[in-house]
Amino acid sequence: MIDYVLFSITTTASTLVNARCYLAPVVETLTELKKEINRCHWEILRRTLFSHIMDVALVKQERGVFDVLLQVYDDGNQWFRIVESTLPFREEDVALILGLRCNGDIVSFKHERDQSMFEQTFLNKMHNRHSDAIKVNLFKLVGSKDDEEETFLKLLIVYFMMTIFFPNTSQNAPRFTATHTNDLTSLGRYSWTHAFTCG
């Protein structure tokens, strides 16, 4: 299994980097959830592409490393410029890092107007889509005794998407995540690495 390393910024960081890339709280949340999830949770999660995300590890890294990487990265061309050379950052690289596939259907970023019961219950209002509200609901669902395993997993994958794959400064889950996570069985048909790099 691939070891996933997420970096914690240990010195003062810019607002943008802190808001979108500071993943220490995410790792802490997943660590606590792992203590509570049951066998049924694992069985459902392993049918998706994202079960390995639960094994993220936290490694502390000085901010200077991130500053250098940001300074040499060309977002328009998607490469790192090192002296006179360029190092492209391709979908294949993202797939290797995240353990996800490159091929598959293109992910739609459009939000379906017809809301599922899952979306109506957990993601309908903006304040419900905030990371704090989603964490509260995750811990409520993981401890429930009334066959809420699949609902918990849908919300967990929304949490993956909003904090790791599609983070934004508002810390709200994008509306399109509800469309894709409502049907867990369809997640495997999409090229998520294409969505991460080109979306």
Side-chain angles (χ1 to χ4, degrees), residues 65-130:
V65 174
F66 294 97
D67 286 339
V68 170
L69 288 174
L70 289 173
Q71 289 169 12
V72 301
Y73 185 65
D74 183 331
D75 187 49
N77 293 306
Q78 294 188 328
W79 64 35
F80 293 94
R81 179 171 292 281
I82 303 172
V83 192
E84 299 300 323
S85 301
T86 58
L87 178 64
F89 191 56
R90 305 162 301 173
E91 287 183 41
E92 292 81 1
D93 300 313
V94 177
L96 182 62
I97 292 168
L98 297 177
L100 297 173
R101 58 187 287 182
C102 288
N103 58 341
D105 294 347
I106 299 299
V107 174
S108 172
F109 294 99
K110 294 181 179 179
H111 173 249
E112 292 184 357
R113 292 184 178 181
D114 294 333
Q115 295 185 0
S116 65
M117 185 60 66
F118 167 69
E119 182 177 2
Q120 290 178 25
T121 304
F122 296 100
L123 302 170
N124 190 31
K125 304 295 184 182
M126 184 175 292
H127 67 269
N128 289 334
R129 299 199 310 274
H130 191 272

Short mmCIF file of all heavy atoms in Angstrom, two decimals, residues 65-130:
data_model
loop_
_atom_site.label_atom_id
_atom_site.label_comp_id
_atom_site.label_asym_id
_atom_site.label_seq_id
_atom_site.Cartn_x
_atom_site.Cartn_y
_atom_site.Cartn_z
N VAL A 65 10.17 25.10 2.47
CA VAL A 65 10.06 24.14 1.37
C VAL A 65 8.86 24.49 0.49
O VAL A 65 8.94 24.47 -0.74
CB VAL A 65 9.94 22.70 1.91
CG1 VAL A 65 9.67 21.72 0.78
CG2 VAL A 65 11.19 22.31 2.68
N PHE A 66 7.75 24.83 1.12
CA PHE A 66 6.55 25.18 0.36
C PHE A 66 6.74 26.49 -0.39
O PHE A 66 6.28 26.64 -1.52
CB PHE A 66 5.34 25.29 1.30
CG PHE A 66 4.95 23.98 1.92
CD1 PHE A 66 5.38 23.63 3.19
CD2 PHE A 66 4.18 23.07 1.21
CE1 PHE A 66 5.04 22.42 3.75
CE2 PHE A 66 3.82 21.86 1.77
CZ PHE A 66 4.26 21.53 3.04
N ASP A 67 7.43 27.44 0.25
CA ASP A 67 7.68 28.71 -0.43
C ASP A 67 8.46 28.49 -1.72
O ASP A 67 8.15 29.07 -2.76
CB ASP A 67 8.46 29.65 0.50
CG ASP A 67 7.59 30.22 1.60
OD1 ASP A 67 6.36 30.24 1.42
OD2 ASP A 67 8.13 30.65 2.63
N VAL A 68 9.47 27.66 -1.66
CA VAL A 68 10.30 27.39 -2.84
C VAL A 68 9.47 26.71 -3.92
O VAL A 68 9.52 27.08 -5.10
CB VAL A 68 11.52 26.53 -2.47
CG1 VAL A 68 12.24 26.05 -3.73
CG2 VAL A 68 12.47 27.31 -1.58
N LEU A 69 8.68 25.71 -3.54
CA LEU A 69 7.87 24.99 -4.52
C LEU A 69 6.86 25.92 -5.20
O LEU A 69 6.66 25.85 -6.42
CB LEU A 69 7.13 23.83 -3.84
CG LEU A 69 7.99 22.63 -3.43
CD1 LEU A 69 7.17 21.64 -2.64
CD2 LEU A 69 8.60 21.96 -4.65
N LEU A 70 6.26 26.81 -4.41
CA LEU A 70 5.29 27.74 -4.98
C LEU A 70 5.96 28.73 -5.92
O LEU A 70 5.39 29.13 -6.94
CB LEU A 70 4.55 28.48 -3.87
CG LEU A 70 3.55 27.64 -3.05
CD1 LEU A 70 3.03 28.45 -1.87
CD2 LEU A 70 2.40 27.16 -3.92
N GLN A 71 7.17 29.14 -5.59
CA GLN A 71 7.88 30.12 -6.41
C GLN A 71 8.30 29.55 -7.76
O GLN A 71 8.37 30.28 -8.75
CB GLN A 71 9.10 30.65 -5.65
CG GLN A 71 8.75 31.56 -4.49
CD GLN A 71 9.95 31.86 -3.61
OE1 GLN A 71 11.08 31.57 -3.98
NE2 GLN A 71 9.69 32.44 -2.44
N VAL A 72 8.60 28.26 -7.82
CA VAL A 72 9.09 27.68 -9.07
C VAL A 72 7.99 26.98 -9.86
O VAL A 72 8.24 26.47 -10.96
CB VAL A 72 10.25 26.68 -8.82
CG1 VAL A 72 11.41 27.38 -8.13
CG2 VAL A 72 9.79 25.47 -8.01
N TYR A 73 6.76 26.98 -9.34
CA TYR A 73 5.67 26.30 -10.05
C TYR A 73 4.96 27.26 -10.99
O TYR A 73 4.61 28.38 -10.62
CB TYR A 73 4.65 25.72 -9.07
CG TYR A 73 3.57 24.91 -9.76
CD1 TYR A 73 3.89 23.73 -10.42
CD2 TYR A 73 2.25 25.34 -9.76
CE1 TYR A 73 2.92 22.98 -11.06
CE2 TYR A 73 1.27 24.60 -10.40
CZ TYR A 73 1.61 23.42 -11.04
OH TYR A 73 0.64 22.69 -11.68
N ASP A 74 4.77 26.81 -12.23
CA ASP A 74 4.06 27.57 -13.25
C ASP A 74 2.69 26.93 -13.43
O ASP A 74 2.56 25.87 -14.05
CB ASP A 74 4.85 27.54 -14.56
CG ASP A 74 4.20 28.38 -15.66
OD1 ASP A 74 2.96 28.53 -15.64
OD2 ASP A 74 4.94 28.88 -16.53
N ASP A 75 1.66 27.56 -12.86
CA ASP A 75 0.32 26.98 -12.88
C ASP A 75 -0.23 26.87 -14.30
O ASP A 75 -0.93 25.90 -14.64
CB ASP A 75 -0.62 27.82 -12.01
CG ASP A 75 -1.98 27.17 -11.86
OD1 ASP A 75 -2.04 25.98 -11.54
OD2 ASP A 75 -2.99 27.87 -12.07
N GLY A 76 0.07 27.85 -15.14
CA GLY A 76 -0.44 27.84 -16.51
C GLY A 76 0.06 26.66 -17.31
O GLY A 76 -0.68 26.04 -18.08
N ASN A 77 1.34 26.34 -17.15
CA ASN A 77 1.95 25.23 -17.89
C ASN A 77 2.00 23.93 -17.09
O ASN A 77 2.38 22.89 -17.62
CB ASN A 77 3.38 25.59 -18.31
CG ASN A 77 3.40 26.71 -19.34
OD1 ASN A 77 2.75 26.61 -20.38
ND2 ASN A 77 4.11 27.79 -19.05
N GLN A 78 1.64 24.02 -15.81
CA GLN A 78 1.65 22.87 -14.92
C GLN A 78 3.02 22.19 -14.91
O GLN A 78 3.15 20.99 -15.17
CB GLN A 78 0.55 21.88 -15.29
CG GLN A 78 -0.85 22.44 -15.06
CD GLN A 78 -1.94 21.40 -15.24
OE1 GLN A 78 -1.82 20.48 -16.04
NE2 GLN A 78 -3.01 21.53 -14.49
N TRP A 79 4.03 23.00 -14.61
CA TRP A 79 5.37 22.44 -14.44
C TRP A 79 6.13 23.24 -13.38
O TRP A 79 5.76 24.34 -13.01
CB TRP A 79 6.14 22.40 -15.76
CG TRP A 79 6.46 23.74 -16.40
CD1 TRP A 79 6.77 24.92 -15.77
CD2 TRP A 79 6.52 24.02 -17.80
NE1 TRP A 79 7.02 25.91 -16.67
CE2 TRP A 79 6.88 25.39 -17.94
CE3 TRP A 79 6.34 23.25 -18.95
CZ2 TRP A 79 7.04 26.01 -19.18
CZ3 TRP A 79 6.50 23.88 -20.17
CH2 TRP A 79 6.84 25.23 -20.28
N PHE A 80 7.20 22.60 -12.88
CA PHE A 80 8.13 23.27 -11.98
C PHE A 80 9.34 23.69 -12.81
O PHE A 80 9.89 22.88 -13.56
CB PHE A 80 8.57 22.33 -10.85
CG PHE A 80 7.47 21.96 -9.90
CD1 PHE A 80 6.73 20.80 -10.09
CD2 PHE A 80 7.16 22.78 -8.82
CE1 PHE A 80 5.71 20.46 -9.22
CE2 PHE A 80 6.15 22.44 -7.94
CZ PHE A 80 5.42 21.28 -8.14
N ARG A 81 9.75 24.95 -12.67
CA ARG A 81 10.94 25.42 -13.37
C ARG A 81 12.12 25.38 -12.39
O ARG A 81 12.12 26.06 -11.37
CB ARG A 81 10.76 26.83 -13.91
CG ARG A 81 12.00 27.36 -14.63
CD ARG A 81 11.74 28.66 -15.34
NE ARG A 81 10.83 28.49 -16.47
CZ ARG A 81 11.20 28.01 -17.65
NH1 ARG A 81 12.45 27.64 -17.87
NH2 ARG A 81 10.33 27.90 -18.63
N ILE A 82 13.09 24.55 -12.71
CA ILE A 82 14.27 24.38 -11.86
C ILE A 82 15.49 24.81 -12.67
O ILE A 82 15.90 24.13 -13.60
CB ILE A 82 14.41 22.92 -11.39
CG1 ILE A 82 13.13 22.50 -10.65
CG2 ILE A 82 15.63 22.76 -10.49
CD1 ILE A 82 13.07 21.04 -10.31
N VAL A 83 16.03 25.98 -12.31
CA VAL A 83 17.12 26.62 -13.04
C VAL A 83 16.65 26.78 -14.51
O VAL A 83 15.71 27.48 -14.78
CB VAL A 83 18.44 25.82 -12.92
CG1 VAL A 83 19.60 26.67 -13.45
CG2 VAL A 83 18.71 25.45 -11.47
N GLU A 84 17.31 26.11 -15.46
CA GLU A 84 16.93 26.23 -16.86
C GLU A 84 16.05 25.08 -17.35
O GLU A 84 15.70 25.02 -18.52
CB GLU A 84 18.20 26.29 -17.73
CG GLU A 84 19.10 27.48 -17.43
CD GLU A 84 18.39 28.81 -17.66
OE1 GLU A 84 17.59 28.90 -18.62
OE2 GLU A 84 18.62 29.75 -16.88
N SER A 85 15.70 24.19 -16.44
CA SER A 85 14.91 23.02 -16.83
C SER A 85 13.48 23.13 -16.31
O SER A 85 13.20 23.91 -15.40
CB SER A 85 15.56 21.73 -16.29
OG SER A 85 16.88 21.58 -16.77
N THR A 86 12.59 22.35 -16.90
CA THR A 86 11.21 22.29 -16.43
C THR A 86 10.86 20.85 -16.09
O THR A 86 11.28 19.91 -16.77
CB THR A 86 10.23 22.81 -17.50
OG1 THR A 86 10.38 22.05 -18.70
CG2 THR A 86 10.47 24.29 -17.77
N LEU A 87 10.09 20.70 -15.03
CA LEU A 87 9.64 19.38 -14.59
C LEU A 87 8.12 19.37 -14.61
O LEU A 87 7.48 20.00 -13.77
CB LEU A 87 10.15 19.09 -13.17
CG LEU A 87 9.72 17.76 -12.55
CD1 LEU A 87 10.29 16.58 -13.34
CD2 LEU A 87 10.15 17.70 -11.09
N PRO A 88 7.51 18.73 -15.61
CA PRO A 88 6.05 18.74 -15.71
C PRO A 88 5.39 17.99 -14.56
O PRO A 88 5.95 17.02 -14.03
CB PRO A 88 5.78 18.05 -17.05
CG PRO A 88 6.98 17.21 -17.30
CD PRO A 88 8.14 17.93 -16.68
N PHE A 89 4.24 18.47 -14.17
CA PHE A 89 3.44 17.81 -13.12
C PHE A 89 2.19 17.29 -13.82
O PHE A 89 1.26 18.04 -14.11
CB PHE A 89 3.10 18.80 -12.02
CG PHE A 89 2.52 18.16 -10.79
CD1 PHE A 89 3.20 17.16 -10.13
CD2 PHE A 89 1.29 18.56 -10.30
CE1 PHE A 89 2.68 16.56 -8.99
CE2 PHE A 89 0.75 17.98 -9.16
CZ PHE A 89 1.44 16.98 -8.51
N ARG A 90 2.15 15.99 -14.14
CA ARG A 90 1.14 15.41 -15.00
C ARG A 90 0.08 14.66 -14.21
O ARG A 90 0.23 14.40 -13.03
CB ARG A 90 1.81 14.46 -15.99
CG ARG A 90 2.94 15.08 -16.81
CD ARG A 90 3.81 14.01 -17.42
NE ARG A 90 4.38 13.16 -16.37
CZ ARG A 90 5.08 12.05 -16.60
NH1 ARG A 90 5.29 11.67 -17.84
NH2 ARG A 90 5.57 11.34 -15.60
N GLU A 91 -0.98 14.30 -14.92
CA GLU A 91 -2.02 13.50 -14.29
C GLU A 91 -1.46 12.18 -13.75
O GLU A 91 -1.88 11.70 -12.71
CB GLU A 91 -3.14 13.21 -15.29
CG GLU A 91 -4.02 14.39 -15.61
CD GLU A 91 -5.14 13.99 -16.55
OE1 GLU A 91 -5.71 12.90 -16.39
OE2 GLU A 91 -5.44 14.78 -17.47
N GLU A 92 -0.51 11.62 -14.49
CA GLU A 92 0.09 10.35 -14.06
C GLU A 92 0.80 10.51 -12.72
O GLU A 92 0.83 9.58 -11.91
CB GLU A 92 1.07 9.84 -15.12
CG GLU A 92 0.43 9.39 -16.42
CD GLU A 92 0.10 10.54 -17.36
OE1 GLU A 92 0.40 11.71 -17.01
OE2 GLU A 92 -0.44 10.27 -18.44
N ASP A 93 1.40 11.68 -12.49
CA ASP A 93 2.07 11.94 -11.23
C ASP A 93 1.05 12.03 -10.08
O ASP A 93 1.28 11.51 -8.99
CB ASP A 93 2.87 13.25 -11.30
CG ASP A 93 3.93 13.20 -12.37
OD1 ASP A 93 4.66 12.18 -12.43
OD2 ASP A 93 4.04 14.16 -13.15
N VAL A 94 -0.05 12.69 -10.36
CA VAL A 94 -1.12 12.80 -9.36
C VAL A 94 -1.67 11.41 -9.04
O VAL A 94 -1.91 11.07 -7.88
CB VAL A 94 -2.23 13.74 -9.84
CG1 VAL A 94 -3.38 13.79 -8.84
CG2 VAL A 94 -1.69 15.14 -10.10
N ALA A 95 -1.86 10.60 -10.07
CA ALA A 95 -2.37 9.25 -9.87
C ALA A 95 -1.42 8.43 -9.01
O ALA A 95 -1.84 7.67 -8.13
CB ALA A 95 -2.58 8.56 -11.22
N LEU A 96 -0.12 8.57 -9.25
CA LEU A 96 0.87 7.83 -8.48
C LEU A 96 0.88 8.28 -7.02
O LEU A 96 0.95 7.46 -6.10
CB LEU A 96 2.27 8.03 -9.10
CG LEU A 96 3.42 7.29 -8.43
CD1 LEU A 96 3.21 5.78 -8.51
CD2 LEU A 96 4.74 7.67 -9.08
N ILE A 97 0.80 9.57 -6.80
CA ILE A 97 0.82 10.11 -5.44
C ILE A 97 -0.43 9.70 -4.66
O ILE A 97 -0.34 9.29 -3.49
CB ILE A 97 0.94 11.65 -5.48
CG1 ILE A 97 2.31 12.06 -6.02
CG2 ILE A 97 0.73 12.25 -4.08
CD1 ILE A 97 2.42 13.52 -6.37
N LEU A 98 -1.59 9.78 -5.30
CA LEU A 98 -2.86 9.55 -4.61
C LEU A 98 -3.38 8.13 -4.74
O LEU A 98 -4.35 7.76 -4.08
CB LEU A 98 -3.91 10.52 -5.13
CG LEU A 98 -3.64 12.01 -4.87
CD1 LEU A 98 -4.73 12.87 -5.50
CD2 LEU A 98 -3.54 12.29 -3.37
N GLY A 99 -2.75 7.33 -5.60
CA GLY A 99 -3.22 5.96 -5.76
C GLY A 99 -4.56 5.86 -6.46
O GLY A 99 -5.35 4.96 -6.17
N LEU A 100 -4.82 6.79 -7.38
CA LEU A 100 -6.09 6.81 -8.10
C LEU A 100 -5.85 6.66 -9.60
O LEU A 100 -4.75 6.87 -10.07
CB LEU A 100 -6.84 8.11 -7.81
CG LEU A 100 -7.24 8.33 -6.35
CD1 LEU A 100 -7.81 9.71 -6.15
CD2 LEU A 100 -8.25 7.27 -5.90
N ARG A 101 -6.89 6.34 -10.34
CA ARG A 101 -6.76 6.06 -11.76
C ARG A 101 -6.76 7.35 -12.58
O ARG A 101 -7.31 8.36 -12.19
CB ARG A 101 -7.89 5.15 -12.22
CG ARG A 101 -9.27 5.73 -11.95
CD ARG A 101 -10.38 4.75 -12.25
NE ARG A 101 -10.56 4.57 -13.68
CZ ARG A 101 -11.50 3.78 -14.21
NH1 ARG A 101 -12.29 3.08 -13.43
NH2 ARG A 101 -11.63 3.66 -15.52
N CYS A 102 -6.12 7.26 -13.76
CA CYS A 102 -6.10 8.38 -14.71
C CYS A 102 -7.25 8.30 -15.70
O CYS A 102 -7.75 9.33 -16.15
CB CYS A 102 -4.79 8.40 -15.49
SG CYS A 102 -3.36 8.91 -14.55
N ASN A 103 -7.63 7.09 -16.08
CA ASN A 103 -8.64 6.95 -17.12
C ASN A 103 -10.04 6.90 -16.51
O ASN A 103 -10.20 6.74 -15.30
CB ASN A 103 -8.37 5.68 -17.95
CG ASN A 103 -8.36 4.44 -17.09
OD1 ASN A 103 -8.21 4.50 -15.87
ND2 ASN A 103 -8.55 3.30 -17.71
N GLY A 104 -11.02 7.04 -17.38
CA GLY A 104 -12.40 7.00 -16.92
C GLY A 104 -13.20 8.18 -17.43
O GLY A 104 -12.71 9.00 -18.20
N ASP A 105 -14.45 8.25 -17.01
CA ASP A 105 -15.33 9.34 -17.43
C ASP A 105 -14.85 10.66 -16.84
O ASP A 105 -14.27 10.71 -15.75
CB ASP A 105 -16.77 9.08 -16.97
CG ASP A 105 -17.38 7.87 -17.66
OD1 ASP A 105 -16.80 7.39 -18.65
OD2 ASP A 105 -18.45 7.41 -17.21
N ILE A 106 -15.13 11.75 -17.55
CA ILE A 106 -14.79 13.07 -17.07
C ILE A 106 -15.76 13.47 -15.94
O ILE A 106 -16.98 13.29 -16.06
CB ILE A 106 -14.86 14.12 -18.20
CG1 ILE A 106 -13.86 13.76 -19.30
CG2 ILE A 106 -14.60 15.52 -17.67
CD1 ILE A 106 -12.43 13.74 -18.85
N VAL A 107 -15.22 13.99 -14.86
CA VAL A 107 -16.04 14.42 -13.73
C VAL A 107 -16.77 15.71 -14.10
O VAL A 107 -16.16 16.67 -14.57
CB VAL A 107 -15.17 14.65 -12.48
CG1 VAL A 107 -16.00 15.25 -11.34
CG2 VAL A 107 -14.52 13.35 -12.03
N SER A 108 -18.07 15.72 -13.89
CA SER A 108 -18.86 16.93 -14.13
C SER A 108 -18.88 17.78 -12.87
O SER A 108 -19.11 17.28 -11.77
CB SER A 108 -20.30 16.56 -14.51
OG SER A 108 -21.11 17.73 -14.56
N PHE A 109 -18.61 19.07 -13.05
CA PHE A 109 -18.63 19.98 -11.91
C PHE A 109 -19.97 20.71 -11.81
O PHE A 109 -20.11 21.65 -11.03
CB PHE A 109 -17.48 20.99 -12.03
CG PHE A 109 -16.13 20.36 -11.91
CD1 PHE A 109 -15.38 20.07 -13.04
CD2 PHE A 109 -15.61 20.03 -10.67
CE1 PHE A 109 -14.14 19.46 -12.94
CE2 PHE A 109 -14.37 19.43 -10.55
CZ PHE A 109 -13.62 19.15 -11.68
N LYS A 110 -20.93 20.24 -12.57
CA LYS A 110 -22.27 20.81 -12.48
C LYS A 110 -23.05 20.17 -11.35
O LYS A 110 -22.91 18.99 -11.09
CB LYS A 110 -23.02 20.62 -13.81
CG LYS A 110 -22.42 21.39 -14.98
CD LYS A 110 -23.24 21.17 -16.24
CE LYS A 110 -22.65 21.96 -17.41
NZ LYS A 110 -23.43 21.75 -18.66
N HIS A 111 -23.86 20.97 -10.71
CA HIS A 111 -24.67 20.48 -9.60
C HIS A 111 -26.06 20.14 -10.11
O HIS A 111 -26.70 20.96 -10.79
CB HIS A 111 -24.75 21.55 -8.50
CG HIS A 111 -25.71 21.19 -7.41
ND1 HIS A 111 -26.89 21.86 -7.21
CD2 HIS A 111 -25.66 20.22 -6.46
CE1 HIS A 111 -27.53 21.33 -6.18
NE2 HIS A 111 -26.81 20.34 -5.71
N GLU A 112 -26.53 18.94 -9.81
CA GLU A 112 -27.85 18.54 -10.24
C GLU A 112 -28.92 19.29 -9.45
O GLU A 112 -28.80 19.44 -8.23
CB GLU A 112 -28.04 17.02 -10.07
CG GLU A 112 -27.17 16.19 -11.01
CD GLU A 112 -27.45 14.71 -10.87
OE1 GLU A 112 -28.29 14.35 -10.00
OE2 GLU A 112 -26.84 13.92 -11.60
N ARG A 113 -29.94 19.74 -10.15
CA ARG A 113 -31.00 20.49 -9.47
C ARG A 113 -31.85 19.60 -8.58
O ARG A 113 -32.34 20.03 -7.54
CB ARG A 113 -31.87 21.19 -10.52
CG ARG A 113 -31.14 22.30 -11.26
CD ARG A 113 -32.07 23.02 -12.21
NE ARG A 113 -31.38 24.11 -12.90
CZ ARG A 113 -31.96 24.93 -13.78
NH1 ARG A 113 -33.24 24.76 -14.08
NH2 ARG A 113 -31.26 25.89 -14.35
N ASP A 114 -32.07 18.36 -9.02
CA ASP A 114 -32.86 17.43 -8.22
C ASP A 114 -31.99 16.90 -7.08
O ASP A 114 -31.06 16.13 -7.30
CB ASP A 114 -33.37 16.27 -9.07
CG ASP A 114 -34.36 16.73 -10.13
OD1 ASP A 114 -35.02 17.76 -9.89
OD2 ASP A 114 -34.46 16.07 -11.17
N GLN A 115 -32.30 17.33 -5.88
CA GLN A 115 -31.47 16.96 -4.74
C GLN A 115 -31.87 15.59 -4.19
O GLN A 115 -33.06 15.28 -4.08
CB GLN A 115 -31.59 18.00 -3.62
CG GLN A 115 -31.06 19.37 -4.00
CD GLN A 115 -31.09 20.32 -2.82
OE1 GLN A 115 -31.52 19.98 -1.72
NE2 GLN A 115 -30.63 21.53 -3.05
N SER A 116 -30.87 14.81 -3.86
CA SER A 116 -31.11 13.53 -3.20
C SER A 116 -31.47 13.78 -1.73
O SER A 116 -31.26 14.87 -1.20
CB SER A 116 -29.86 12.66 -3.27
OG SER A 116 -28.80 13.26 -2.53
N MET A 117 -32.00 12.75 -1.08
CA MET A 117 -32.30 12.87 0.35
C MET A 117 -31.02 13.14 1.14
O MET A 117 -31.03 13.90 2.12
CB MET A 117 -32.97 11.58 0.85
CG MET A 117 -33.43 11.67 2.31
SD MET A 117 -34.64 12.99 2.60
CE MET A 117 -36.03 12.38 1.65
N PHE A 118 -29.92 12.53 0.71
CA PHE A 118 -28.63 12.76 1.37
C PHE A 118 -28.26 14.23 1.31
O PHE A 118 -27.89 14.84 2.32
CB PHE A 118 -27.56 11.91 0.68
CG PHE A 118 -26.15 12.28 1.04
CD1 PHE A 118 -25.65 12.04 2.32
CD2 PHE A 118 -25.30 12.86 0.10
CE1 PHE A 118 -24.36 12.38 2.66
CE2 PHE A 118 -24.01 13.21 0.43
CZ PHE A 118 -23.54 12.97 1.71
N GLU A 119 -28.38 14.84 0.14
CA GLU A 119 -28.02 16.25 0.01
C GLU A 119 -28.97 17.14 0.80
O GLU A 119 -28.54 18.10 1.47
CB GLU A 119 -28.01 16.67 -1.45
CG GLU A 119 -27.59 18.13 -1.64
CD GLU A 119 -27.51 18.55 -3.09
OE1 GLU A 119 -27.81 17.71 -3.97
OE2 GLU A 119 -27.14 19.70 -3.35
N GLN A 120 -30.25 16.85 0.72
CA GLN A 120 -31.23 17.67 1.44
C GLN A 120 -30.96 17.65 2.95
O GLN A 120 -31.13 18.66 3.63
CB GLN A 120 -32.64 17.16 1.17
CG GLN A 120 -33.13 17.40 -0.24
CD GLN A 120 -34.52 16.84 -0.46
OE1 GLN A 120 -35.29 16.67 0.47
NE2 GLN A 120 -34.83 16.51 -1.71
N THR A 121 -30.51 16.51 3.45
CA THR A 121 -30.31 16.36 4.88
C THR A 121 -29.01 16.99 5.36
O THR A 121 -28.98 17.65 6.40
CB THR A 121 -30.32 14.87 5.27
OG1 THR A 121 -31.54 14.28 4.82
CG2 THR A 121 -30.20 14.69 6.78
N PHE A 122 -27.93 16.82 4.58
CA PHE A 122 -26.61 17.20 5.10
C PHE A 122 -25.93 18.36 4.38
O PHE A 122 -25.03 18.98 4.94
CB PHE A 122 -25.68 15.98 5.06
CG PHE A 122 -26.11 14.86 5.95
CD1 PHE A 122 -26.78 13.76 5.43
CD2 PHE A 122 -25.87 14.91 7.32
CE1 PHE A 122 -27.19 12.74 6.26
CE2 PHE A 122 -26.28 13.89 8.15
CZ PHE A 122 -26.95 12.80 7.62
N LEU A 123 -26.31 18.64 3.12
CA LEU A 123 -25.53 19.60 2.34
C LEU A 123 -26.37 20.67 1.66
O LEU A 123 -25.88 21.39 0.79
CB LEU A 123 -24.73 18.84 1.26
CG LEU A 123 -23.78 17.76 1.77
CD1 LEU A 123 -23.26 16.93 0.61
CD2 LEU A 123 -22.62 18.37 2.53
N ASN A 124 -27.63 20.79 2.05
CA ASN A 124 -28.53 21.71 1.35
C ASN A 124 -28.18 23.17 1.60
O ASN A 124 -28.18 23.99 0.69
CB ASN A 124 -29.97 21.44 1.77
CG ASN A 124 -30.97 22.19 0.91
OD1 ASN A 124 -30.72 22.42 -0.26
ND2 ASN A 124 -32.09 22.56 1.48
N LYS A 125 -27.86 23.52 2.83
CA LYS A 125 -27.54 24.91 3.20
C LYS A 125 -26.04 25.11 3.24
O LYS A 125 -25.28 24.19 3.53
CB LYS A 125 -28.14 25.25 4.57
CG LYS A 125 -29.64 25.03 4.67
CD LYS A 125 -30.40 25.98 3.75
CE LYS A 125 -31.92 25.81 3.94
NZ LYS A 125 -32.69 26.68 3.04
N MET A 126 -25.61 26.37 2.98
CA MET A 126 -24.18 26.65 2.96
C MET A 126 -23.52 26.34 4.29
O MET A 126 -22.43 25.78 4.33
CB MET A 126 -23.93 28.11 2.57
CG MET A 126 -22.45 28.45 2.43
SD MET A 126 -22.15 30.13 1.84
CE MET A 126 -22.78 30.00 0.17
N HIS A 127 -24.18 26.67 5.40
CA HIS A 127 -23.56 26.41 6.69
C HIS A 127 -23.43 24.92 6.97
O HIS A 127 -22.55 24.49 7.70
CB HIS A 127 -24.32 27.11 7.83
CG HIS A 127 -25.70 26.56 8.07
ND1 HIS A 127 -26.81 27.08 7.44
CD2 HIS A 127 -26.15 25.55 8.86
CE1 HIS A 127 -27.89 26.42 7.84
NE2 HIS A 127 -27.51 25.48 8.69
N ASN A 128 -24.29 24.10 6.34
CA ASN A 128 -24.17 22.65 6.49
C ASN A 128 -23.00 22.08 5.71
O ASN A 128 -22.50 21.00 6.02
CB ASN A 128 -25.45 21.95 6.04
CG ASN A 128 -26.61 22.19 6.97
OD1 ASN A 128 -26.41 22.43 8.15
ND2 ASN A 128 -27.82 22.14 6.45
N ARG A 129 -22.56 22.81 4.66
CA ARG A 129 -21.46 22.35 3.83
C ARG A 129 -20.10 22.80 4.37
O ARG A 129 -19.07 22.43 3.79
CB ARG A 129 -21.64 22.83 2.39
CG ARG A 129 -22.91 22.33 1.72
CD ARG A 129 -22.83 22.42 0.21
NE ARG A 129 -22.41 23.73 -0.27
CZ ARG A 129 -23.23 24.75 -0.47
NH1 ARG A 129 -24.53 24.62 -0.21
NH2 ARG A 129 -22.78 25.90 -0.93
N HIS A 130 -20.07 23.57 5.44
CA HIS A 130 -18.81 24.00 6.02
C HIS A 130 -18.13 22.81 6.69
O HIS A 130 -18.79 21.91 7.23
CB HIS A 130 -19.02 25.13 7.02
CG HIS A 130 -17.76 25.79 7.46
ND1 HIS A 130 -17.02 25.34 8.52
CD2 HIS A 130 -17.09 26.87 6.95
CE1 HIS A 130 -15.95 26.10 8.66
NE2 HIS A 130 -15.97 27.03 7.72
#
